[in-house]
Structure formats: C-alpha cells, structure tokens
Amino acid sequence: MHTIAELRAAYISGEKKPSEVIKEVFAVIEEKNDDVFAFLDVFEDALAAAELADAVYEKNGAGTPPLLGIPVAMKTNILIKDKRATASSKILENYTATYDATIVRRLRDAGAIFVGATNMDEFAMGSSTESSAFGVTKNPLDTSRVPGGSSGGSAAAVAMGAVPVAIGTDTGGSIRQPAAYCGLIGYKPTYGAVSRYGLIALASSLDQAGPFANTVADAELIHNTMAGQDDMDGTTITDDTYPAVPVKETYTIGVPRDFFTEGVDEDVLRAFDTHVEELKALGHTMVDISLPLFEKGLAAYYIVMPAEASSNLARYDGIRYGYSAPAESLLEVYEKSRAEGFGDEVKRRILLGTHVLSAGYYDAYYGKAELARKKMREELDEVFKSVDLIVTPTTPTPAFKFGENTDPLAMYRQDIFTVPVNLTGVPAITLPMGTVERDGTALPIGVQYIAPHAGDARLFALGKRLYDERR
Ligand code: GLN
C-alpha cells in the first residue's frame, strides 16, 4: 500500500485494518532499518492507536476522519508529546517533548498515527544526513549513496516502503533535495502557511514543515491538514495575507536558464530539457526569464541561516535542558556542554553566525544579506507579473556517494536551486523527473516548480496533472 488514498479505500471497504497496516510498517522497519537507518525511534504505542482506529472504521466507515489509521513518520526535530525529539544532536539525546507541535496536533486530530522519529542532519544543517550524531541514513534506492538531507530519514522512510508519508522541515531545501534523491514528491509551503510551533528551530525566518509522499494528492492532503493560521506562531498567514492565486488549465512557465551555471550535471540538464519539451507539448507556454540575483542566493543564505541558527542554538547551554557536561564552574559547564554536545557542522555555523552578527560586521554581512534578500523578493515579484510559475531542476546532481562532498562548500552547492525559495518565502514542489544512470543504477532526479506567495494550490493542481495522472 503505497498511498494514503489506497489505504483509506481499503480501510473503508474493510479489506484491510489499520492495525494490520501498522504491523506491516513495523515489519518493514524490522527488515530494513538496520541497514537504511531511516528511523531513530519506533513508536510501539502506534499499534494500540491503530486498534482503536479498527473499531472506529467498523462503526463509521467513510464517516471517519480523513487520515484515520494512516501511518506517518516524523523528522526528529518535530515535537510529539512524550516522545524523544533530538534534532539528531547529542545535546538533545535524552530530550523528551512535553507538548505536541501544532502540526502534530492537527495530523493527530485528523486520525494520523505516528509510527516513529526519523534521522536527520544535526539540527537540520546539511544535505546528506551524514552529520547526524547517531549514524548515517542510506538511500534505499542505492545504499552506497546518501538519501539527501537534512530530512534524509523521512525521505528514506517513504522510499524504503515503511510509510506512505513522512514529515520533514525545509530551511534551504531539506525536503525538496532528499525527495529528489529518493524519487519522491516533496513540498515546501509558502512561508507562514504552516505553523512552526513545536519545531526545533534552525533559522526561524526560513523554516517550514512539509510532506514527503508518493503522490501529489497525498502531499496536498497532508499539507492542507497541517496548514492554517495558528495563535502560537505569529508568522502564520491567513487567506487575506496574499492576493488569490488562481489555478488554470495551462500556464506561462519561466525558465531561468542563466541560473543553470557551472556545476550542474549534464544528464540532469538533458532530462530537464526533455521535461521542458513535454511541458510545451502539454500546452504550457515556456519563456526564458532572468533572475540575476538568484545566483546570490547561496551567499545570502549562508549568512542569514547561520546568523539565525547561532541565536536559536544559544538556548542549549547545558543548564536548562539537554546535555550537561559536569564541570567546576558555570562558565565551564556552558563551554563543555556545547563543545561536547554539538558536532562539527553545527559549531561551524554557530561560529559563522556569531561572527556575521557581531558589532562591526553586522552591517557588512547580515545587513547586506538581508538587503540582497529584499532585492531577490522584488526581482521575483517582477518576474511573477509575466509568468505563473518558474521551473528548475531541484538539485544540480543525483544522489552522491558517502563522503563524496566532504568540503562544506561543495555540500552547500547542493542547495543552489532550493535556497532562493526559502529566502523569498514562496512555495515550491519537487516532482520526480526520471532517472540518470550512475554505475549501472538508475538514480532519480527532481524538477522543482516555484509559485508566487500563497500559490500552494496551483502547485498541487499542476503536480497532480503532471505526475499523479501519468503515473
Ligand atoms: N542543506 C541546507 C543547509 O545545510 C538546507 C538545510 C535545511 O533546509 N534544513 O542548510
């Protein structure tokens, strides 16, 4: 059972019961997780929840909540009451959440059953899940390769067939890139569409939670369940925040060719060109557009994101909660807890972020990056006056091998097409765009569609037609 739609139909007809499906989920995890390591924790109490769901289906059939009995895997930076939420960091190794994130509450209210917490890059910093403090996750399609990151565990959980959907977070590409590497749908909502309450913050002005799924319809259902204004997050938007974005039959789609500079794999470009031809054949109007500032996206991102991360991570001081190193003085507790609790990539970004925010450098770095971000938004608004959507490859390459991108800058280049979306706050979806062959294995790649603010419905509508209907 690959999709929510299939499970739901089988539950309603009585062909299958939620408890049987949860047992299947556990069986797949049992069989594959030692190798793939998508899950850090498995929630045994999911079975009891499923047995309750069995009874409710028997009684109410189609009159049950839309996600009743649907197994969902959660990235371990999302708080589920009484479950561990570690952000894959040693500093939070023994942290148990005391409340539900808003998105968890909404999924739970719709009947979803949480089956486990998934691995990730430590504090969501990375593109390969190699920076987790608890071990690497492998790409189920080729276990010599990374699943992408930072939500690599969530992507792998779906790709290995354990769950139909998993939730991730995307600050600079952490849903879209692993979805592309694992052949899945990945969705990054409009900033503010989904509440961040109960997410372990990385960069608060960029973070959004979203789904991994096998169909666009499933991703849409999960997104719509999680989305909506929330009093616990003042940045959540309402229907009045942005002008309505209509869904149409065909679109004018912009292709920012000058943005596909060096470092983009030739096979990826070829597959992209084929995809553009298909779009034309389907009646869409393809136009070349220019987004010169988008190329500055990575530079701005690697100032804004570490700056916000260094502030957000200041709370892990070894005193209030999380890992605490025994030491002689208070200062030493702070220093040792952070030195021992955080991994290298996290330390690198805290240093970088603290530096760009420090007196004397603030204007030169952080102020400039925020200005660049404002200009990028203006550039995008201008482009969206003449196009309905923008299309790019999701990533410059297919999944790489473990240890292949040890240079941080090489790793950061993975995000070239995804970070401008977070910096400008617009929504984007990645759909599978075929495969490219490496060492005799067909590796999936993705195509990214970007819509104007609050254009989420437009992305889902197009995605369903381009992908679901042609599966
Ligand atoms: N790979 C990017 C980074 O390392 C994006 C991370 C994310 O979206 N959480 O920052």
Side-chain angles (χ1 to χ4, degrees), residues 75 124-127 149-150 169-174 202 301-302 305 349 415:
K75 189 175 181 180
M125 299 177 187
S127 304
S150 64
T169 58
D170 190 313
T171 303
S174 280
L202 171 54
Y301 175 80
Y302 276 98
M305 182 274 302
R349 296 201 194 187
D415 305 327

Side-chain angles (χ1 to χ4, degrees), residues 95-313:
Y95 172 70
T96 299
T98 54
Y99 64 97
D100 275 344
T102 296
I103 57 171
V104 166
R105 187 172 49 73
R106 289 186 178 168
L107 290 169
R108 206 195 277 290
D109 287 350
I113 296 181
F114 304 112
V115 294
T118 59
N119 198 19
M120 57 187 276
D121 280 297
E122 185 179 4
F123 281 103
M125 299 177 187
S127 304
S128 66
T129 317
E130 289 169 293
S131 79
S132 165
F134 307 126
V136 300
T137 298
K138 295 180 188 166
N139 189 321
L141 306 173
D142 176 347
T143 52
S144 71
R145 293 175 188 272
V146 304
S150 64
S151 316
S154 288
V158 178
M160 77 187 205
V163 281
V165 285
I167 310 301
T169 58
D170 190 313
T171 303
S174 280
I175 292 172
R176 289 160 286 159
Q177 185 253 18
Y181 280 9
C182 292
L184 304 173
I185 312 294
Y187 194 68
K188 197 298 272 184
T190 301
Y191 182 79
V194 174
S195 169
R196 288 176 293 108
Y197 179 67
L199 267 51
I200 298 177
L202 171 54
S204 306
S205 77
L206 305 166
D207 299 345
Q208 280 290 289
F212 290 88
N214 287 308
T215 64
V216 177
D218 280 359
E220 180 180 32
L221 175 59
I222 293 290
H223 167 76
N224 288 342
T225 305
M226 298 196 299
Q229 192 274 336
D230 179 16
D231 288 345
M232 302 306 283
D233 176 358
T235 63
T236 50
I237 58 177
T238 68
D239 285 348
D240 302 327
T241 310
Y242 296 109
V245 180
V247 170
K248 304 189 217 169
E249 281 297 302
T250 55
Y251 296 105
T252 303
I253 303 177
V255 186
R257 286 254 169 224
D258 54 2
F259 183 32
F260 309 157
T261 46
E262 88 286 348
V264 183
D265 185 278
E266 297 222 330
D267 291 338
V268 172
L269 279 184
R270 212 166 305 132
F272 180 76
D273 287 340
T274 308
H275 187 77
V276 166
E277 289 309 313
E278 275 176 47
L279 289 170
K280 279 186 202 157
L282 290 169
H284 301 287
T285 308
M286 307 305 293
V287 295
D288 282 336
I289 55 167
S290 162
L291 289 167
L293 289 176
F294 265 47
E295 274 182 63
K296 309 281 184 251
L298 266 188
Y301 175 80
Y302 276 98
I303 292 173
V304 172
M305 182 274 302
E308 293 186 21
S310 75
S311 307
N312 275 325
L313 270 56

